[in-house]
Amino acid sequence: MNILIMGPAGAGKGTMSDRILDVYDVPHISTGDMLRENVKNGTELGKLAKSYMDAGRLVPDEVINGMVENRLQQPDCEKGYLLDGYPRTEAQAKALAEITDRIGKPVEIVLALEVKFDDLASRITGRRICPQCQAIYHIATHPSKVAGVCDKCEHELVQRKDDTVEQLKVRMDEYEKNTWPVIEYYANKGVVSKIDAAKPADEVFEEVKKALGKVA
Ligand code: AP5
């Protein structure tokens, strides 16, 4: 299955991706996670990306496209892919179309998660993540068993630098300006499933499963 999951910051892309992986055997490719890994390891790519990410701005297309192209050529993508947070610009969508044509894995479904700004703000400010295994928590709606400690690997949880209301506004601006046209682009191809992602996570996942079931 070749899946894209899209939506604004905090819409639940990572949370739903984790659940999709319980059902579908495809690699989860999150450009945000890949970039954070590069920042953590101090790579050239990470050094370049850091200032954009901390400000909530999009990292330049050529950097992202190269990174995704390499990843999609790995053998595990023969099973398909779950792309999370990519493409976010029309240039990225065109690059993805070229890559997926070449590897014979066209996008089959785009899950477009929809949530209002106020809900996104409380999700973002309450989010805690595990920098070790990427597990996602929320202090109110999905707390870890021991406060501040990852349930899965016991690493200390952290708050992302870009998880502030101020940065969320910048990320929303980027989303409206650059990423809405991408959803339109896929809507014109007839592959978009809009998901009301403001509901509790279990209910959102029921909708996601229904949408995926139609193309599986
Ligand atoms: P990225 O890491 O992709 O961040 P994002 O798109 O801003 O999305 P988030 O990870 O913030 O949110 P999410 O939708 O995954 O929500 P989550 O499941 O965690 O990108 C970060 C940065 O990298 C970008 O700003 C940019 O600089 C750069 N970048 C990445 N990709 C790029 C690209 N393609 N091009 C250019 N630059 C790029 O959930 C959020 C919280 O809400 C959690 O606490 C969760 O527990 C909670 N929650 C989730 N669902 C629910 C629910 N249904 N009910 C209640 N709470 C919920």
Side-chain angles (χ1 to χ4, degrees):
M1 179 94 102
N2 310 325
I3 312 163
L4 304 189
I5 187 160
M6 298 180 64
K13 302 182 292 296
T15 301
M16 286 304 127
S17 293
D18 282 350
R19 292 181 179 220
I20 291 168
L21 298 184
D22 290 339
V23 183
Y24 293 94
D25 180 23
V26 285
H28 175 215
I29 304 174
S30 156
T31 44
D33 285 347
M34 289 168 90
L35 290 167
R36 278 185 289 280
E37 192 62 21
N38 274 280
V39 171
K40 191 170 92 182
N41 295 333
T43 66
E44 285 308 311
L45 193 155
K47 283 180 201 156
L48 193 152
K50 188 174 184 314
S51 58
Y52 292 95
M53 296 174 76
D54 286 351
R57 295 266 167 227
L58 293 181
V59 175
D61 289 332
E62 56 277 16
V63 176
I64 299 287
N65 288 338
M67 190 176 82
V68 173
E69 180 165 14
N70 286 340
R71 182 63 188 87
L72 284 174
Q73 283 167 355
Q74 302 301 313
D76 59 345
C77 293
E78 273 163 31
K79 292 184 271 193
Y81 49 81
L82 170 57
L83 266 171
D84 165 357
Y86 179 92
R88 289 190 201 213
T89 66
E90 287 178 291
Q92 292 180 15
K94 288 191 184 122
L96 180 63
E98 279 171 26
I99 304 165
T100 53
D101 277 357
R102 209 179 319 131
I103 62 174
K105 298 250 170 278
V107 172
E108 290 170 285
I109 182 166
V110 178
L111 299 166
L113 306 187
E114 299 182 325
V115 185
K116 291 194 308 286
F117 181 86
D118 285 352
D119 291 334
L120 294 175
S122 56
R123 286 189 188 182
I124 285 287
T125 49
R127 173 167 53 190
R128 299 294 180 271
I129 61 159
C130 175
Q132 181 79 20
C133 72
Q134 320 302 334
I136 304 165
Y137 300 90
H138 188 280
I139 51 173
T141 58
H142 180 44
S144 55
K145 288 188 188 110
V146 177
V149 179
C150 180
D151 293 347
K152 294 182 185 163
C153 70
E154 298 187 350
H155 198 282
E156 192 184 343
L157 301 180
V158 297
Q159 196 165 9
R160 273 169 47 177
K161 269 206 176 144
D162 56 348
D163 275 353
T164 64
V165 172
E166 208 173 73
Q167 254 85 335
L168 176 61
K169 285 183 188 151
V170 180
R171 286 151 81 189
M172 284 302 288
D173 279 352
E174 291 277 32
Y175 189 75
E176 285 169 14
K177 195 169 68 183
N178 294 299
T179 312
W180 273 359
V182 178
I183 295 180
E184 278 301 308
Y185 165 87
Y186 287 114
N188 289 335
K189 293 179 182 290
V191 292
V192 172
S193 282
K194 290 192 176 174
I195 308 285
D196 175 3
K199 295 188 268 187
D202 287 347
E203 290 177 37
V204 178
F205 188 53
E206 285 307 310
E207 263 198 58
V208 165
K209 272 195 298 191
K210 253 188 237 161
L212 292 174
K214 286 182 191 154
V215 289

